[in-house]
Amino acid sequence: MPKCIIDGREAEFTPGQNLVEVAKKVGIQIPFFCYHPALTVVAQCRMCVVEIEKMPKLQTACSTPAAEGMVVKTRSEKVIQAQKATMEFLLINHPLDCPVCDKSGECDLQDFSFKYGDAYSRYTEEKRTYVDLDMGPVIKKNMNRCIHCTRCIRFGTEVAGIHEMVAVQRGNNTEITTIDGRPLETDYAGNYADLCPTGSLLLKDFRFKKRVWFLKRTSTVCEGCARGCNMTIHQDNNVIYRCTARENLEINKYWLCDEGRFNFHYVNAEDRVVEPRSGASAAEWADAIAVAKSAVSGKKLAVLVGSDLTQEEGKLLLEFLPKNFSGAPVFHFGTPGIRSSQEDAAADRILKRKSKTANLHGLEKLGFKGFDSLPAGTSAVLVIRGGRATLPELKGVTTVGLGVFRDSEAQGFAAVLPGASFAEKDGTIVNFEGREQHLRRAINPPGQSKQLPEILMMWANSKGGQNA
Amino acid sequence: MAETQQQDETLFIQHFRESSRPLSYYLEKMAGYTALKKAFGMSQDDIINEVKKSNLRGRGGAGFPTGMKWGFIPKQSAKPKYLVCNADESEPGTFKDRDLMRYTPHVLIEGMVIGGFAIGANTGYIYIRGEYTREAKLLDEAIDEAYAKGYLGKNILGSGFNFDLTVHRGAGAYICGEETALLNSLEGKRGEPRVKPPFPAQSGAFAGPTIVNNVETLASVPFIINRGGDWFAKLGRIEKSGGTRLIGVSGHVKKPGLYELPSGGVTLRQLIYDHCGGILGDKKLKAVIPGGSSAPVLTADEIDVVYDIDPMMKIGSMLGSAAVVVVSEEMCVVRLLTRITKFYAHESCGQCTPCREGTRWMEEVLERIEHGHGREQDMNLLLDIAGNINARTLCALGDAAAGPVTSFVKKFRADFEAHIRSGKCPNA
């Protein structure tokens, strides 16, 4: 492998790699705003300048491929001065509203200002201001905070496949906006907020909800479809505030679709059933289980297992169900119209899969069969799900729900045994490529809801109504 | 001096009349399209070598040797190659290419066909600044004439070489004179300079190998082919710079206008006092902006310099597009710099942080000084901002904006101080 020298450290590189990436490999951070490893290099923020031996001008590290024997300095006097100057330029028109800005605490501009900038500004003229347009339901724009890095524009055209973010006007008046001020159309709009290095593009969903330094982060996997995009859950006090994309170049790169990003809302929803129910009224766990047992007892039972459950839960059910409901047919369900992994396919050109549950492929491997319709004569159904699988229409049968349900979904259920959502448990899911990934518990099951093994154990030990 | 002028051969200026425009004039009086015939009998390398020998250097501003530039084009290319004429003449003070296109459009067309043949491009574009509506129309007419006579199109003069030429009008942005911004604009994109490398010779218009040359540069090519690179080189009076120069002189001189002089044939003093008749109203000379408004300013003591690329660079300024703006003592240099800086702030594309933020900042500080609200520290602030822009941007617009500020503040510091201390313009 060819080598270059960065700040005295020998760094190996693969030909074509730029200096930002090569420096990162040897533990040297070069600051940047406009650069993003997944987007075209534009070299316009000028923050990543480095000094290269035998080159009179400072060079932008993002646009300079490493070369054999190249000697690079990232902390020379000239570089430090240039970074200081760039920070001053970026801040002369940036509002000093960090105290009320949601980006504060995770803002590149703020961080680099502390690290590379100067504590005071020489700018005494009036700051530039813009009037903001509404950009639709996902993103709130604050153009005054924008540093014109154009990551959003490039994300739109190069990743989301839609040229909706544009630069209008020019020079100091340049405004980053949507074409004709239209609302954003892409269903990957949340990434604009992830990408923005300042508080210019923020999630409306997250705005003014929580200072980011209070948030605890859990690395987990999205349960929104069969791809299994890697993401981070941000929670505080057992409440999820947002989910952000987590880099995994083999699965989702740096991105998350809006459906997956905002899927978490049901977890903390007010109408989620978190107390055991007997009929429509809250009950003690023991009573609810007794009611559930007698509701299915003596009936012709079918069991529906959501493909939003983990492999561990699936295996457990494979042991539990035959012992407790011998002869009852078991089906998996999740997405209307997608009954098997054969029917799962790419739903767009970016990330989305047609299966809207995360573990269709896994449950199928365990031997679960897809649900089409209830066998003739079925009089009772036990529905076990994680929270995301779409419930099939169940009419004229006695239904017991085990898992996560909304109040409206549980209407008419004989009993509800509240379970844990994807954010409240550890477990394995298998994506469409057969890749096993792990859900990580970010919060505790709310109210009296419990993990599936615990509920099944209570069921098995309960002396309530006996199965036929 | 007038005698010398007559002895020196000029290529263009004697033809700058409305009556020179038709193809018939070009064929009869300027040996029109004979160079093209000759070029078709030469190899591509021979043509490029002839241009190299001629010491023709780019007339747009950078002064890069044209033959060497052509040599960068790969011989083999999977993508089509392009020859683009930069007719976005936008540098304040510059008005030479306009006359060239207006009066002798066929020299440019012939130069482009030869250039296209030499680099193996079958498509040419003339990217003309949006304000040159009349010239764009005249070029279109000339191109139609050339197509009708078979100087453009398929199998030109039976050579088997095809060349199509299109006039593309800009939409009014100075930055589109920067070659990669020009290419973006030509492709229908926002006029913003590209990251280099790749340079246009590797990947230019529509990602094909592309040469971008100035109007005057391309218009010199037929002369070089007809009379030889050596002859052209000898037209220049200085080493490494051949041919003649169209020089636009404006400002406070008695005879402003367009001049054609041998490359390196005069000093700035000779140009101003001998050719242009001296300063208007016989006032004292205050300053000279020697190469378009981005060229660092010269004081009255600095004009005994040979007016060509290398000597101008040696004294820290530049020949640029050979546009001389002469400033008499009656002009307020603070106001002048404010106006120049306003121009660059207005024309910055807005990509690079230092240029986007810095040009406007300088403009604001200068406005303040000009209107009597300057502070002592403003002069150092201006020098600092300019220093932080210079050489820190993707394209040369940052340097173009910084150069005037640095040079004006350094060389005319007393004028700035007077403004700041008295709270108004001492000249007013």
Side-chain angles (χ1 to χ4, degrees):
Chain A
M1 254 192 176
K3 288 173 193 154
C4 63
I5 310 282
I6 303 179
D7 290 347
R9 296 181 208 182
E10 206 174 68
E12 290 190 333
F13 61 90
T14 42
Q17 248 182 335
N18 69 50
L19 289 176
V20 171
E21 299 296 336
V22 178
K24 201 160 98 182
K25 285 208 296 192
V26 291
I28 294 166
Q29 186 200 29
I30 296 175
F32 53 80
F33 296 106
C34 68
Y35 173 68
H36 189 286
L39 304 175
T40 306
V41 169
V42 291
Q44 59 193 40
C45 76
R46 317 307 286 180
M47 190 63 192
C48 69
V49 287
V50 293
E51 200 171 340
I52 300 174
E53 249 176 38
K54 292 183 200 132
M55 291 196 188
K57 284 186 185 181
L58 294 175
Q59 302 292 316
T60 43
C62 67
S63 66
T64 310
E68 174 67 44
M70 192 181 249
V71 179
V72 182
K73 290 181 193 147
T74 76
R75 304 305 302 141
S76 75
E77 209 175 302
K78 227 169 137 187
V79 170
I80 290 170
Q81 194 278 331
Q83 285 167 336
K84 200 171 260 196
T86 299
M87 283 314 307
E88 183 179 41
F89 282 136
L90 286 174
L91 291 173
I92 61 174
N93 280 305
H94 189 81
L96 285 173
D97 63 349
C98 305
V100 295
C101 176
D102 284 279
K103 198 75 176 187
S104 188
E106 57 177 16
C107 173
D108 288 347
L109 189 67
Q110 192 182 41
D111 293 348
F112 293 158
S113 172
F114 277 109
K115 200 164 175 188
Y116 303 101
D118 213 332
Y120 77 103
S121 168
R122 295 176 292 178
Y123 190 70
T124 57
E125 324 303 321
E126 199 170 319
K127 284 187 191 255
R128 170 185 64 209
T129 53
Y130 297 89
V131 177
D132 287 328
L133 291 159
D134 190 28
M135 299 212 345
V138 182
I139 295 291
K140 169 70 190 174
K141 185 176 94 160
N142 184 328
M143 188 61 210
N144 292 346
R145 294 178 184 150
C146 177
I147 57 168
H148 303 85
C149 75
T150 71
R151 275 186 190 174
C152 53
I153 298 175
R154 285 173 283 145
F155 170 79
T157 50
E158 295 168 18
V159 180
I162 179 167
H163 195 179
E164 54 182 352
M165 297 291 299
V166 288
V168 297
Q169 305 295 333
R170 71 175 178 221
N172 207 269
N173 298 320
T174 305
E175 181 174 357
I176 310 296
T177 183
T178 56
I179 293 175
D180 296 339
R182 289 192 291 242
L184 293 172
E185 281 173 39
T186 176
D187 41 6
Y188 288 79
N191 296 297
Y192 287 129
D194 283 359
L195 274 174
C196 182
T198 78
S200 187
L201 301 174
L202 293 170
L203 292 179
K204 280 189 174 171
D205 191 53
F206 177 66
R207 222 158 65 100
F208 302 139
K209 296 273 165 56
K210 202 72 179 171
R211 303 313 323 225
V212 299
W213 50 87
F214 291 124
L215 294 170
K216 286 81 155 175
R217 289 144 205 252
T218 306
S219 297
T220 187
V221 179
C222 176
E223 64 152 2
C225 76
R227 179 172 290 274
C229 296
N230 291 206
M231 73 176 191
T232 305
I233 290 180
H234 301 244
Q235 62 89 16
D236 182 47
N237 229 346
N238 223 44
V239 174
I240 300 176
Y241 285 90
R242 65 171 175 186
C243 293
T244 53
R246 189 161 60 87
E247 175 183 332
N248 186 329
L249 295 180
E250 291 178 13
I251 298 175
N252 55 305
K253 299 199 171 71
Y254 307 85
W255 325 120
L256 213 52
C257 73
D258 290 344
E259 190 177 345
R261 182 186 300 268
F262 300 121
N263 167 58
F264 71 90
H265 279 292
Y266 78 87
V267 172
N268 295 120
E270 276 188 20
D271 63 346
R272 173 175 167 188
V273 180
V274 294
E275 312 295 332
R277 277 188 187 177
S278 156
S281 49
E284 293 297 321
W285 263 106
D287 298 339
I289 286 179
V291 170
K293 275 186 143 177
S294 52
V296 299
S297 152
K299 301 264 175 57
K300 189 170 185 318
L301 178 70
V303 182
L304 298 184
V305 174
S307 48
D308 50 358
L309 295 179
T310 64
Q311 290 297 81
E312 290 79 358
E313 289 171 324
K315 278 208 156 173
L316 193 60
L317 288 170
L318 285 181
E319 285 188 32
F320 176 87
L321 296 176
K323 280 184 193 158
N324 289 275
F325 315 107
S326 87
V330 179
F331 305 102
H332 69 70
F333 72 99
T335 314
I338 309 291
R339 284 157 304 185
S340 73
S341 59
Q342 301 292 316
E343 290 170 324
D344 178 34
D348 66 14
R349 287 174 167 192
I350 310 168
L351 299 174
K352 292 184 185 179
R353 304 289 301 178
K354 283 190 170 160
S355 168
K356 291 296 164 199
T357 51
N359 201 27
L360 167 72
H361 298 260
L363 288 193
E364 215 168 65
K365 274 189 184 162
L366 290 179
F368 286 94
K369 294 277 170 287
F371 174 72
D372 196 7
S373 59
L374 290 174
T378 303
S379 56
V381 176
L382 173 61
V383 183
I384 307 171
R385 77 156 180 180
R388 170 132 180 111
T390 306
L391 288 179
E393 210 175 321
L394 300 167
K395 272 186 183 158
V397 288
T398 305
T399 309
V400 168
L402 200 172
V404 180
F405 299 91
R406 292 185 163 230
D407 183 51
S408 54
E409 291 170 326
Q411 293 296 323
F413 280 18
V416 180
L417 309 176
S421 74
F422 80 106
E424 294 147 9
K425 63 192 174 195
D426 291 301
T428 307
I429 52 174
V430 181
N431 86 345
F432 73 102
E433 305 160 303
R435 186 189 298 266
E436 292 183 359
Q437 302 192 91
H438 301 285
L439 294 179
R440 302 261 181 239
R441 179 171 170 154
I443 56 174
N444 292 313
Q448 292 195 52
S449 43
K450 293 182 186 300
Q451 306 279 356
L452 183 70
E454 205 178 338
I455 300 172
L456 296 184
M457 197 148 64
M458 288 166 73
W459 183 297
N461 294 335
S462 160
K463 292 192 174 63
Q466 291 299 304
N467 201 12
Chain B
M1 205 63 214
E3 272 175 335
T4 329
Q5 199 186 349
Q6 278 175 358
Q7 284 166 12
D8 290 333
E9 193 167 353
T10 57
L11 308 179
F12 304 108
I13 203 155
Q14 65 272 29
H15 303 291
F16 283 178
R17 294 185 306 270
E18 293 285 333
S19 57
S20 318
R21 196 178 308 120
L23 178 59
S24 54
Y25 178 94
Y26 186 55
L27 295 174
E28 285 163 30
K29 300 285 165 60
M30 294 179 74
Y33 293 105
T34 54
L36 183 57
K37 271 183 209 127
K38 194 172 166 191
F40 285 145
M42 297 164 72
S43 74
Q44 294 180 322
D45 285 339
D46 287 346
I47 298 172
I48 293 176
N49 281 334
E50 214 54 43
V51 176
K52 278 182 183 163
K53 258 196 276 177
S54 76
N55 283 341
L56 171 63
R57 293 174 72 168
R59 302 295 199 235
F64 195 83
T66 306
M68 194 192 286
K69 199 183 214 182
W70 287 9
F72 292 153
I73 280 277
K75 285 267 175 297
Q76 300 300 325
S77 165
K79 298 214 167 184
K81 303 177 198 174
Y82 297 93
L83 177 64
V84 178
C85 170
N86 185 345
D88 192 61
E89 182 169 63
S90 313
E91 182 69 21
T94 316
F95 45 84
K96 61 187 181 66
D97 296 338
R98 181 176 56 183
D99 278 7
L100 250 171
M101 294 184 285
R102 182 185 287 172
Y103 300 126
T104 56
H106 283 286
V107 196
L108 172 60
I109 295 170
E110 186 176 4
M112 285 197 74
V113 184
I114 297 171
F117 179 68
I119 63 167
N122 299 110
T123 310
Y125 292 99
I126 300 174
Y127 185 97
I128 188 166
R129 69 176 288 183
E131 291 85 346
Y132 283 1
T133 44
R134 179 163 178 244
E135 286 69 25
K137 191 168 151 276
L138 296 176
L139 275 175
D140 272 335
E141 287 167 11
I143 287 172
D144 287 347
E145 281 182 306
Y147 267 107
K149 293 281 185 215
Y151 300 124
L152 282 171
K154 296 246 179 301
N155 191 18
I156 297 169
L157 303 178
S159 63
F161 177 69
N162 308 329
F163 192 76
D164 285 307
L165 186 57
T166 308
V167 176
H168 185 104
R169 289 184 57 205
Y174 169 79
I175 191 62
C176 290
E178 196 277 344
E179 62 178 3
T180 56
L182 183 155
L183 295 174
N184 272 345
S185 172
L186 183 69
E187 291 178 13
K189 297 174 183 156
R190 205 174 143 82
E192 288 175 336
R194 300 173 180 175
V195 181
K196 283 161 277 183
F199 290 94
Q202 293 125 40
S203 173
F206 312 102
T210 302
I211 290 293
V212 183
N213 282 141
N214 169 260
V215 175
E216 190 187 344
T217 311
L218 288 165
S220 301
V221 170
F223 297 100
I224 294 169
I225 297 304
N226 256 343
R227 301 176 69 174
D230 289 330
W231 167 83
F232 190 86
K234 279 187 201 127
L235 281 182
R237 297 281 180 272
I238 189 167
E239 261 184 51
K240 290 189 221 155
S241 186
T244 62
R245 272 272 169 189
L246 286 168
I247 302 170
V249 185
S250 57
H252 305 144
V253 286
K254 287 179 182 159
K255 290 192 287 175
L258 201 57
Y259 293 82
E260 185 176 1
L261 294 165
S263 292
V266 287
T267 64
L268 259 181
R269 182 178 300 280
Q270 288 168 330
L271 177 68
I272 295 168
Y273 287 96
D274 299 342
H275 292 271
C276 300
I279 309 301
L280 205 60
D282 291 319
K283 300 283 177 192
K284 266 171 69 186
L285 177 67
K286 175 91 182 178
V288 181
I289 301 172
S293 64
S294 61
V297 69
L298 300 177
T299 64
D301 303 332
E302 294 177 291
I303 59 169
D304 290 305
V305 56
V306 173
Y307 189 61
D308 203 58
I309 302 164
D310 294 333
M312 292 300 290
M313 207 184 298
K314 211 173 259 175
I315 63 159
S317 187
M318 59 188 195
L319 183 78
S321 52
V324 181
V325 182
V326 180
V327 182
S328 87
E329 56 183 341
E330 287 194 311
M331 177 76 201
C332 170
V333 286
V334 176
R335 182 154 180 227
L336 179 58
L337 178 62
T338 308
R339 189 62 195 83
I340 292 172
T341 305
K342 196 185 188 72
F343 174 81
Y344 289 106
H346 183 68
E347 297 295 345
S348 164
C349 82
Q351 280 193 107
C352 299
T353 305
C355 178
R356 179 184 66 242
E357 305 294 336
T359 52
R360 171 62 65 82
W361 191 2
M362 295 194 299
E363 181 199 340
E364 286 170 332
V365 173
L366 282 164
E367 290 265 4
R368 207 153 40 70
I369 297 174
E370 202 207 328
H371 291 103
H373 304 290
R375 306 176 194 125
E376 287 286 332
Q377 64 266 37
D378 280 344
M379 285 173 292
N380 286 340
L381 178 61
L382 283 170
L383 291 175
D384 248 23
I385 302 172
N388 286 339
I389 298 171
N390 195 46
R392 303 259 179 89
T393 52
L394 268 177
C395 80
L397 196 145
D399 302 8
V405 171
T406 309
S407 58
F408 270 84
V409 175
K410 277 189 182 156
K411 292 180 181 177
F412 298 105
R413 200 169 177 111
D415 293 74
F416 287 83
E417 277 170 357
H419 269 74
I420 291 169
R421 286 173 192 164
S422 65
K424 61 181 172 52
C425 180
N427 281 15

